[in-house]
Amino acid sequence: MLTDPSYKGQIVTMTYPLVGNYGVNDEDAESRKPFVEGFVVKECSKIASNWRSKKTLDDYLKENDIVGVEGIDTRDLTLHIREVGTMKAVLSTVDTDEENLVRKAQKSPGLLGRDLVKEVIAAKEYEWNDKGRYKVVVLDCGVKLNTLRELAKNNCRVVVVPATTGPEEILAIGPDGILLSNGPGDPAALPYIVKTTQGLIGKVPIFGICLGHQILGQAFGGKTYKLKFGHHGGNQPVKDVKTGKVAISVQNHGFCVDIDTLNKREIELTHLNLNDQTLEGMRHKKLPIFSVQFHPEAAPGPRDAEYLFGKFAELMKKEKVKR
């Protein structure tokens, strides 16, 4: 969670009472640095006892200038959030005046209408690996590194480009497929990425994950909206509408594609969230395009959704045969 760029602009509260007892190591990082704005726990372990640990959680947060607080009844706080929804918040080690802090929280820009993608993406195009049958261009909106690893495992040569890259530049790379990555913030604040996606539809297979799913929803003419408190954590049940199979998924999003705004003649709904019946997956009925709201690169089930990367590779294989 700390290194998932999708948490940019957010303070994360952990419900489990003791956090940090395994410590921190570089191998498990999902991006170049942690992106959370603050970290709230009941108790931060002073001992890091895992054999892979390189440093404590406290040291890691200090190195990256991220404010953390312990001694909070996080389960009580979670119950409050579940009642009133996601709220603006503030953490301070300097200002302890309650009225001042409330005013500062109220003045916070929040997430609505903010383009946070530009604050987390890599500045330049880069090649993740140089071998693979299928060349995949990943449009980086805040991509997690395990997405790139999963593509490489499925015989893909991966090139990552910033979300600001236009469709002509992307197609000039000669991709067999395009992956629209996860990322932070309000999808409605990203019209330039939606426009780029519209310029790619029908050219090559496209796979969207989380924010990439929301971008595709808008590119298809749909709308997005803010959820009351979002979906976060590694225990979200998602049902495959066609097979009836339920997968346990990792999720981190505060926005959702409105099912009722999609053209059902073109778009088929493939997955639903069993907790609130929100849209978790869709595919185009004629074009090789599909997307999911959850994170198949994460492994809570432990690997319930890993097959989606293989599905993407199969689509690229079929399209290469046609060409």
Side-chain angles (χ1 to χ4, degrees):
M1 284 183 285
L2 289 174
T3 56
D4 180 351
S6 298
Y7 279 108
K8 177 68 179 175
Q10 300 179 73
I11 296 171
V12 172
T13 300
M14 301 298 291
T15 53
Y16 193 77
L18 180 61
V19 179
N21 45 317
Y22 288 104
V24 177
N25 67 75
D26 296 330
E27 291 83 1
D28 289 340
E30 287 286 3
S31 61
R32 64 186 181 278
K33 68 171 188 176
F35 283 98
V36 298
E37 305 296 336
F39 202 50
V40 181
V41 301
K42 176 69 171 71
E43 181 182 349
C44 181
S45 176
K46 305 300 184 290
I47 300 172
S49 60
N50 189 275
W51 66 275
R52 299 173 68 231
S53 174
K54 301 297 182 183
K55 64 192 74 169
T56 66
L57 172 62
D58 187 51
D59 288 338
Y60 184 62
L61 293 177
K62 287 176 180 176
E63 285 177 10
N64 289 279
D65 295 321
I66 295 172
V67 63
V69 60
E70 66 174 329
I72 304 297
D73 187 342
T74 52
R75 291 185 173 181
D76 184 61
L77 176 58
T78 300
L79 288 173
H80 182 64
I81 293 171
R82 285 183 65 84
E83 288 295 322
V84 301
T86 301
M87 297 173 290
K88 295 180 179 180
V90 60
L91 293 175
S92 176
T93 59
V94 180
D95 187 350
T96 57
D97 183 276
E98 289 187 14
E99 291 185 358
N100 282 342
L101 292 172
V102 170
R103 280 194 294 269
K104 288 177 180 178
Q106 290 172 337
K107 290 180 180 179
S108 165
L111 295 179
L112 276 172
R114 288 179 67 189
D115 179 357
L116 293 171
V117 167
K118 291 178 181 176
E119 298 184 37
V120 302
I121 59 177
K124 298 179 180 179
E125 172 186 323
Y126 64 92
E127 193 172 71
W128 173 254
N129 63 318
D130 59 3
K131 293 181 180 179
R133 180 179 180 185
Y134 312 109
K135 182 188 285 188
V136 174
V137 171
V138 174
L139 192 65
D140 177 17
C141 302
V143 68
K144 291 171 65 180
L145 297 183
N146 210 45
T147 295
L148 309 182
R149 298 186 192 106
E150 288 295 329
L151 288 170
K153 280 167 55 177
N154 281 273
N155 204 16
C156 298
R157 174 187 167 192
V158 181
V159 179
V160 183
V161 301
T164 50
T165 309
E168 297 83 7
E169 297 170 82
I170 293 172
L171 293 173
I173 298 172
D176 295 306
I178 294 164
L179 186 139
L180 308 176
S181 86
N182 64 289
D186 184 354
L190 307 171
Y192 62 98
I193 307 180
V194 175
K195 185 177 180 181
T196 292
T197 302
Q198 289 172 332
L200 298 170
I201 289 174
K203 303 295 195 300
V204 292
I206 299 176
F207 178 19
I209 294 175
C210 200
L211 182 65
H213 163 82
Q214 297 163 3
I215 294 295
L216 265 176
Q218 293 180 88
F220 289 144
K223 305 291 183 183
T224 58
Y225 65 95
K226 193 176 188 303
L227 294 162
K228 184 177 179 180
F229 38 73
H231 299 158
H232 307 280
N235 58 353
Q236 300 281 336
V238 169
K239 181 178 180 179
D240 185 314
V241 175
K242 186 175 181 179
T243 66
K245 184 177 180 180
V246 177
I248 300 302
S249 68
V250 166
Q251 301 195 14
N252 171 31
H253 57 275
F255 296 83
C256 188
V257 177
D258 186 344
I259 293 176
D260 295 329
T261 63
L262 294 171
N263 184 347
K264 303 300 194 304
R265 292 189 298 273
E266 294 182 353
I267 307 302
E268 178 183 353
L269 312 183
T270 60
H271 296 79
L272 287 174
N273 189 299
L274 289 183
N275 288 332
D276 60 10
Q277 302 301 304
T278 52
L279 180 64
E280 291 284 356
M282 62 185 178
R283 73 173 187 89
H284 197 283
K285 292 182 178 180
K286 296 180 180 178
L287 300 172
I289 300 173
F290 72 104
S291 62
V292 291
Q293 180 64 76
F294 52 94
H295 286 265
E297 79 286 348
R303 293 176 176 168
D304 289 14
E306 204 175 37
Y307 73 94
L308 291 167
F309 290 96
K311 177 180 176 180
F312 184 42
E314 280 297 314
L315 284 180
M316 291 187 286
K317 179 180 179 180
K318 290 180 181 177
E319 289 302 306
K320 283 178 76 77
V321 171
K322 288 180 184 179
R323 285 183 271 165

